[in-house]
Amino acid sequence: MHPLWEPSADRVVRARLTAFMRDVGAASGLELAGYDDLYRFSIDRPADFWRHVWSFCSIRGEMGERVVVDLDRMPGAKFFPDARLNFAENVLRRRDDRAAIIFNGEGRRRTLTHAELYLDVGRFADALRQAGIRAGDRVAGYLPNLPETIVAALGAAAIGAVWSSCSPDFGVQGVLDRFGQIEPRILVAADGYFYGGKRHDQGSRLAEIVRALPSVEHTVVVPYADPDASIADAPRSSAWRTWLGNGEMPVVAFEPLPFDHPLYILYSSGTTGVPKCIVHGAGGTLIQHLKEHQLHCDIHPGDRVFYFTTCGWMMWNWLVTALASEATLLLYDGSPFYPDGNVLFDFADDTGMTLFGTSAKFIDAVSKAGLSPIRTHRLETVRTMTSTGSPLAPESFSFVYEHVKRDIHLASISGGTDIVSCFVGGVPIAPVWRGEIQARALGMKVDVFDEAGRSLVAGEKGELVCTMPFPSMPIAFWNDPDRRKYHAAYFEKYPGVWRHGDYVALTEHGGVIIYGRSDAVLNPGGVRIGTAEIYRQVEQIDDILESLVIGQQWERDERIVLFVRLREGATLTPELEDLIRRRIRENTTPRHVPARIVQVSDIPRTKSGKIVELAVRDVVHGRDIQNREALANPEALEQFRGRAELQS
C-alpha cells in the first residue's frame, strides 16, 4: 500500500506544527524527529506541553505559575488554576478592516470586517450589562448560522455570561428541553430562516417558546427572513439593531476570568432522554481549539476557514475559535444541495477558502450524486479538507483525491460535544492513508481497551479511552450538584479513565480506525461487529443512498437487520438483496451478513445529521422513544415499527 497523499517538503517547512516542534525541541533540549516524537512529549510531559501551546498560540491573559494540579485525578485535575483570561478578548485580537466573517445564506451574502465585529460585540456586551446580566448568567440563541450569532456569543463571553444555542430547525419542545434546564435571562432569535430555497417563518414558534420560558427577561429578534419583520408576537422584545444601539463605540471591557469559567453549554443528542447540559470552560475550549486549528489543521493568520455546520452542533463552536488564529470565518446557512451539490464548492472558489470542513455524509452524498469538483472547480486555495460526524469510509478517502483535489490534506477528525474538540485527527506534515484517521491528537493520551480494561495492540478492536486528563474536559453537567451524572457518563465502566463510546482500533501507521459507536456494536453469536464495517460495503452499491443497521434480539441471540434507503424508482429486489449479502460476505465475514434486509423511505437522524441506530433499535423492540424532538425527522421512525419482515 502507498499513502494517498504526502505533504511536499515546502509544506512541511511552512507548517505551524513544524515551527511548534522546533520551539519545543529548542526549549526542552530534545531531538524531535517527527510527529510521533512530539506526541510522546505531549503525553509524557503534559505540563510542559500545554505551557508551550499557551505561549506558541499567544493566548492573551495571565498564565500563572501552575499548569496542572492533581494530574493523577480523572476527573479532578485542574489546568492553569491561577490563570485569568477572557475568551472573547482572545478571539477579537484582530480589529482591522479585513474580512472577519463572510456569510452566505442561500444567496444572501454579506461581509463583516474585524473592526465591525469588534464594534458589534462591544455594543452587545454593553447592552447585556445595561440589562443587568452578570458573569454566570445564561444567554441563549435560537438562530441560524449568522454573523449575529457569533456577535451574541462573543458579547456574552466578554462579560462572562454563558452562551448556549439551538438551530432553528429544532421544534418548540426540543428548545424547551434544552433552554428550560439552563434558564436563560436573554434569548436571541431570528424571525425565520431559509432552507432548500424556502423561507421558514419563526414568529409564532418563537412566541410560544418565550411564553414557556419564564426565566427570559428580554428577547432580541434578528430580522433575517424578513428585514421588516414585526416583533409584536415576542413579548418583552427588541429588534437586533435597537438592542445594539447606534451610539458611540463603548469601551469593550473584557472581564478577566478564571481558566475554568463557564463559556458554553452544549447538549447531548437527547435521543434516549432529556438532553444532558454539558458545561465547557473558556480556557479549556480556547487552548484546545488553538492547538487543533494551528497544529493539526495548519491554520495561519489570513486563512479562510469554513465548516458546514449549524449552531446546534459543536463544530460551530469549534469554527468560532478560528478567529483567535486571525483567520476569516466563512459561514454558510442553508441546504448544502441547494440549488445543487456544487454550492459549497462554488463558495470555496468565490471566497478563497483554505480549510473546507464538512461531514462524511456530505462527501458520500457528493459521490452518490456523480459530481466531480476536480473537473468543475478550481479549489486552488483549499489546502485542507476535514471530515467528521461519522466514520469516513475508505472509498470516500479515494473519492476526495480522485474527484475533489489531488494535493489536499484530508483530515478525518473525531471527538465530540462532550469535549468540544477531538481525540484523534489530522497531521499536516504526515502521510494520509486510505481509511485511517492519521493520529491521536497532541496532549490526548488515547488508548484502546477491551471489556476488562486491558490495553489492546494495533489491529485489535475495542473501546476508545483517554487515560490522562486534558483541558477541555467538561467542567460540569448543569443541575448535577453531586456530579453523579457526569461520572456515570464517562467514568463508570473504567474508573479513572475516560470512556468515549467509540469502537475503534489503532493502526500500524499510528493512526485510528473508527468502526462505529460502541453502544451500537452488533453482537451476533457473541462476535462484536462495528456498524461502520457494514455501512462501508453497503453504501458502495449504486442503488443504495444510505443505510442503517441494528441488532435485533431473536431466539436468545442477536441477528443483524439492515435497513436501506434506495434511489428514487429503485426497489429491493431479490437480486439486489443477493448483491448486498454477497458484497458483505466477500469483503468482511459471514458473521457480518444481515439476517434481514428491509427497504425504508427515510433514515432517522439527529439535527447534526447523525443516524440514530439506538432509537431505531428501540422502536423495533417495541420500546418507547423518550425524546423525538432531538431528531431532524422523527416521523421516519414510524416505518420501523411492527415491520412484518422482522416477525419471523
Side-chain angles (χ1 to χ4, degrees):
M1 288 182 62
H2 299 283
L4 291 172
W5 176 82
E6 292 188 80
S8 67
D10 181 65
R11 180 153 185 172
V12 171
V13 168
R14 292 174 180 272
R16 296 284 288 159
L17 182 61
T18 300
F20 179 78
M21 198 156 47
R22 185 169 55 245
D23 288 359
V24 170
S28 63
L30 296 174
E31 187 75 29
L32 301 177
Y35 182 83
D36 290 346
D37 289 346
L38 180 61
Y39 177 74
R40 281 191 291 273
F41 171 84
S42 75
I43 60 174
D44 290 344
R45 295 169 57 176
D48 291 338
F49 169 74
W50 290 110
R51 184 184 291 110
H52 279 298
V53 174
W54 181 298
S55 299
F56 183 81
C57 297
S58 302
I59 291 178
R60 297 185 176 186
E62 298 178 12
M63 181 167 61
E65 291 296 320
R66 298 179 296 172
V67 174
V68 59
V69 296
D70 297 329
L71 186 64
D72 59 337
R73 295 179 59 195
M74 191 173 184
K78 295 289 184 184
F79 284 86
F80 299 99
D82 310 313
R84 309 286 290 188
L85 57 80
N86 186 280
F87 181 86
E89 182 179 17
N90 277 274
V91 168
L92 296 172
R93 62 183 66 199
R94 192 168 186 165
R95 297 164 193 176
D96 54 29
D97 290 330
R98 296 186 181 183
I101 299 172
I102 299 174
F103 168 74
N104 181 350
E106 291 201 355
R108 296 153 186 85
R109 296 198 178 193
R110 53 195 169 99
T111 298
L112 206 63
T113 68
H114 289 283
E116 290 168 334
L117 176 61
Y118 180 74
L119 173 64
D120 279 356
V121 169
R123 286 176 169 166
F124 193 91
D126 193 52
L128 289 176
R129 287 192 179 97
Q130 291 183 37
I133 304 303
R134 301 179 299 273
D137 287 342
R138 276 77 61 208
V139 178
Y142 182 44
L143 291 158
N145 186 18
L146 301 173
E148 288 86 352
T149 312
I150 293 175
V151 169
L154 296 181
I159 69 168
V162 189
W163 175 258
S164 189
S165 56
C166 290
S167 54
D169 54 343
F170 277 82
V172 171
Q173 191 58 50
V175 175
L176 297 179
D177 284 347
R178 289 157 176 79
F179 294 166
Q181 295 186 69
I182 67 169
E183 299 178 305
R185 292 182 63 189
I186 301 292
L187 176 66
V188 187
D191 65 312
Y193 65 99
F194 299 91
Y195 194 89
K198 297 179 180 178
R199 189 175 99 178
H200 301 264
D201 294 318
Q202 294 283 85
S204 60
R205 183 182 289 185
L206 175 58
E208 187 177 349
I209 289 169
V210 173
R211 284 193 293 268
L213 288 175
S215 66
V216 173
E217 298 167 11
H218 201 84
T219 301
V220 184
V221 180
V222 178
Y224 174 49
D226 180 2
D228 301 316
S230 168
I231 58 171
D233 287 341
R236 303 181 306 280
S237 61
S238 299
W240 174 259
R241 278 294 155 192
T242 303
W243 169 262
L244 290 189
N246 296 310
E248 293 185 5
M249 167 65 186
V251 176
V252 184
F254 296 108
E255 296 291 338
L257 299 161
F259 188 83
D260 272 352
H261 183 81
L263 171 70
Y264 293 135
I265 298 175
L266 279 67
Y267 304 94
S268 64
S269 63
T271 53
T272 57
V274 177
K276 294 186 286 289
C277 307
I278 305 170
V279 186
H280 285 291
T285 300
L286 176 67
I287 198 168
Q288 186 79 295
H289 288 180
L290 283 167
K291 177 204 74 176
E292 293 181 355
H293 290 163
Q294 296 191 24
L295 305 185
H296 289 281
C297 295
D298 200 31
I299 293 174
H300 295 248
D303 277 356
R304 296 191 160 194
V305 179
F306 167 76
Y307 223 101
F308 179 68
T309 180
T310 70
C311 63
W313 188 24
M314 62 141 287
M315 295 312 299
W316 178 86
N317 307 80
W318 188 90
L319 175 63
V320 170
T321 313
L323 286 165
S325 295
E326 300 184 37
T328 296
L329 305 189
L330 306 179
L331 308 185
Y332 183 85
D333 192 77
S335 168
F337 274 82
Y338 177 80
D340 56 44
N342 291 303
V343 63
L344 298 187
F345 299 106
D346 294 342
F347 194 35
D349 276 349
D350 292 346
T351 57
M353 186 185 295
T354 55
L355 185 147
F356 190 127
T358 187
S359 65
K361 184 55 66 178
F362 173 77
I363 294 172
D364 182 62
V366 170
S367 173
K368 291 283 187 184
L371 301 176
S372 186
I374 202 168
R375 293 199 293 266
T376 56
H377 294 74
R378 300 186 311 276
L379 304 179
E380 56 193 4
T381 58
V382 181
R383 300 196 311 269
T384 305
M385 174 174 272
T386 56
S387 168
T388 191
S390 58
L392 187 63
E395 292 72 25
S396 292
F397 276 77
S398 298
F399 174 82
V400 167
Y401 285 103
E402 292 170 9
H403 293 280
V404 178
K405 189 173 182 178
R406 292 187 178 88
D407 184 17
I408 192 171
H409 175 213
L410 175 59
S412 179
I413 63 178
S414 184
T417 299
D418 310 83
I419 64 170
V420 73
S421 58
C422 301
F423 278 121
V424 294
V427 182
I429 64 171
V432 173
W433 295 88
R434 188 174 186 264
E436 298 183 19
I437 296 173
Q438 283 177 285
R440 293 172 280 189
L442 295 168
M444 312 296 274
K445 197 172 183 181
V446 170
D447 203 349
V448 182
F449 277 9
D450 66 10
E451 287 293 297
R454 292 183 292 260
S455 182
L456 299 174
V457 301
E460 295 182 324
K461 299 171 188 173
E463 294 274 359
L464 186 151
V465 299
C466 190
T467 62
M468 186 175 71
F470 50 93
S472 65
M473 292 172 62
I475 58 174
F477 283 0
W478 198 259
N479 292 329
D480 184 29
D482 58 4
R483 296 175 71 82
R484 190 172 300 173
K485 295 177 185 176
Y486 183 90
H487 187 275
Y490 310 116
F491 303 104
E492 202 164 65
K493 184 165 185 174
Y494 307 116
V497 171
W498 178 289
R499 172 184 175 263
H500 194 54
D502 283 337
Y503 188 57
V504 308
L506 302 177
T507 74
E508 61 180 316
H509 303 119
V512 179
I513 297 175
I514 298 179
Y515 294 96
R517 293 291 295 171
S518 54
D519 55 8
V521 163
L522 309 169
N523 198 27
V527 177
R528 288 167 62 82
I529 295 171
T531 55
E533 298 177 73
I534 294 176
Y535 296 143
R536 174 190 171 187
Q537 303 305 325
V538 173
E539 294 182 9
Q540 291 179 65
I541 298 171
D542 287 342
D543 278 344
I544 299 177
L545 293 177
E546 58 182 346
S547 59
L548 183 147
V549 65
I550 65 165
Q552 181 191 17
Q553 297 302 311
W554 191 257
E555 296 181 351
R556 300 184 182 180
D557 196 356
E558 181 175 288
R559 67 179 183 182
I560 296 175
V561 177
L562 174 68
F563 300 96
V564 293
R565 181 170 78 90
L566 305 182
R567 290 184 184 277
E568 187 175 352
T571 57
L572 185 63
T573 62
E575 291 76 18
L576 181 55
E577 284 200 51
D578 288 345
L579 173 61
I580 294 169
R581 290 192 167 95
R582 185 170 66 252
R583 183 173 186 90
I584 293 172
R585 182 180 293 107
E586 290 175 353
N587 292 285
T588 55
T589 75
R591 287 280 191 184
H592 289 68
V593 177
R596 294 288 184 271
I597 304 175
V598 181
Q599 182 177 352
V600 292
S601 61
D602 200 6
I603 299 288
R605 57 186 67 254
T606 65
K607 303 288 188 183
S608 59
K610 298 178 181 178
I611 61 174
V612 286
E613 293 137 329
L614 298 187
V616 169
R617 189 170 69 189
D618 284 344
V619 168
V620 166
H621 288 101
R623 297 189 284 266
D624 290 335
I625 303 301
Q626 299 181 33
N627 194 2
R628 292 171 175 267
E629 283 288 336
L631 302 181
N633 53 341
E635 67 283 352
L637 283 173
E638 290 309 310
Q639 62 188 311
F640 296 86
R641 191 183 306 279
R643 296 293 298 236
E645 301 96 319
L646 304 184
Q647 307 308 311
S648 61

